[in-house]
Amino acid sequence: HVAGEKLFVDFAGRTAEVIDAGTAEIIPVQIFVATLGASSFTYAEATWSQKLPDWIAAHVRAFAYFGGAARQTVSDNLKSGITKASFHEPMVNRTYADMARHYRTAIVPARPYKPRDKAKVEVGVQVVGRWILARLRHRRFFSLADLNAAIRALLDDLNDRPMRGWGVSRRALYEQLDRPALETLPPTPYEYAEWKRCRVGLDYHVEIAKHYYSVPHQLIRQEVEARITVATVEIFHRGKRVASHQRSLRPHRPTTV
């Protein structure tokens, strides 16, 4: 693999567990794994689910751990990130593509039934299972933060351990190969945003989560796209931003300019 070219990402088949301190319920959690192509430098963390918000947040923390972004991010055909798993033309989820643009990386979905496309991360998943999850299997964790702290300690040990047959650690290869070639991180981390297609009503407002936001009246009956974050709602028409509003949680009420 070319230095800094590819980052491979996937969820591990094995899961870990967190115990709810109040009810003693055992909650299975997912393990996200990211592996750089040239050095095999690896990142892993536990998330509550494989859903889009957790998938995106795990990428953001992985980029921070690596101190940069590879030019390509090779993803398994996970439903969270890939909306259409086609052999020839896979379609990337709009939020996932938005995040990739923020970090100047290209999402390259692994082709269905082509295991070599994601062999690097599958090996990373096996290594994380053997050197991290197996060593934690007899420990009990009562919060996701505690579990991730334990994973991080073992992850540092894994990356510092000399690789069999190489005589050098993943971290040493990372510092030599991948680290200098990674794209510089943007000044601020990506803020999670969802996209929604809307049709402008006769009152020149669009409905988002039961609240109504105004757009220029010339767009009546037009189709627009809304980019929704925790704090803001931005409306785009044919790729151009036409309105921006502070997010409101008041149902059935308008925000009008």
Side-chain angles (χ1 to χ4, degrees):
H1 293 284
V2 177
E5 183 182 44
K6 290 182 179 180
L7 172 69
F8 297 83
V9 294
D10 200 1
F11 278 109
R14 296 176 60 179
T15 61
E17 296 176 345
V18 171
I19 301 173
D20 187 311
T23 65
E25 178 188 2
I26 297 176
I27 305 170
V29 296
Q30 306 298 314
I31 304 298
F32 172 86
V33 179
T35 303
L36 285 167
S39 63
S40 295
F41 194 62
T42 299
Y43 173 78
E45 71 166 67
T47 67
W48 288 118
S49 73
Q50 294 190 13
K51 293 180 180 179
L52 185 62
D54 286 329
W55 174 246
I56 297 294
H59 278 70
V60 171
R61 288 187 286 268
F63 292 140
Y65 181 79
F66 293 132
R71 292 186 290 279
Q72 297 179 12
T73 299
V74 182
S75 164
D76 192 11
N77 278 292
L78 187 77
K79 290 182 179 178
S80 295
I82 310 302
T83 57
K84 179 184 177 185
S86 164
F87 186 87
H88 298 289
E89 294 183 1
M91 293 176 60
V92 177
N93 176 284
R94 183 67 183 270
T95 299
Y96 197 20
D98 195 33
M99 181 214 70
R101 191 178 303 109
H102 184 79
Y103 288 101
R104 293 182 294 175
T105 183
I107 303 300
V108 182
R111 295 168 297 174
Y113 314 113
K114 290 290 183 179
R116 288 185 61 184
D117 284 6
K118 54 178 181 174
K120 177 69 71 169
V121 74
E122 289 190 345
V123 172
V125 164
Q126 292 174 3
V127 170
V128 167
R130 183 179 304 122
W131 291 102
I132 296 179
L133 299 182
R135 296 166 70 182
L136 296 177
R137 66 184 183 278
H138 297 307
R139 293 177 59 181
R140 297 194 299 172
F141 300 94
F142 295 92
S143 74
L144 194 68
D146 288 344
L147 173 57
N148 276 323
I151 289 174
R152 175 60 68 89
L154 293 177
L155 183 65
D156 291 339
D157 180 58
L158 168 67
N159 283 320
D160 290 334
R161 179 188 302 272
M163 290 187 287
R164 186 182 306 171
W166 286 77
V168 65
S169 69
R170 290 172 173 81
R171 190 179 302 278
L173 285 178
Y174 159 77
E175 295 291 349
Q176 177 186 348
L177 300 173
D178 279 319
R179 182 69 183 93
L182 293 177
E183 295 285 343
T184 304
L185 291 178
T188 58
Y190 174 74
E191 181 183 15
Y192 179 78
E194 293 185 352
W195 289 82
K196 178 184 178 183
R197 290 185 180 275
C198 310
R199 189 165 294 279
V200 181
L202 294 176
D203 59 354
Y204 61 91
H205 285 66
V206 295
E207 183 270 326
I208 297 167
K210 299 182 180 180
H211 191 86
Y212 300 92
Y213 299 89
S214 69
V215 301
H217 65 85
Q218 298 92 336
L219 298 178
I220 286 175
R221 296 186 181 276
Q222 296 289 312
E223 188 177 78
V224 295
E225 289 184 308
R227 184 178 186 271
I228 309 157
T229 70
V230 171
T232 62
V233 171
E234 297 173 289
I235 313 296
F236 294 81
H237 180 247
R238 297 179 180 175
K240 179 183 178 182
R241 192 175 74 168
V242 294
S244 179
H245 299 278
Q246 185 175 347
R247 179 87 181 267
S248 175
L249 300 179
R250 299 172 66 193
H252 311 297
R253 300 295 296 273
T255 294
T256 307
V257 175

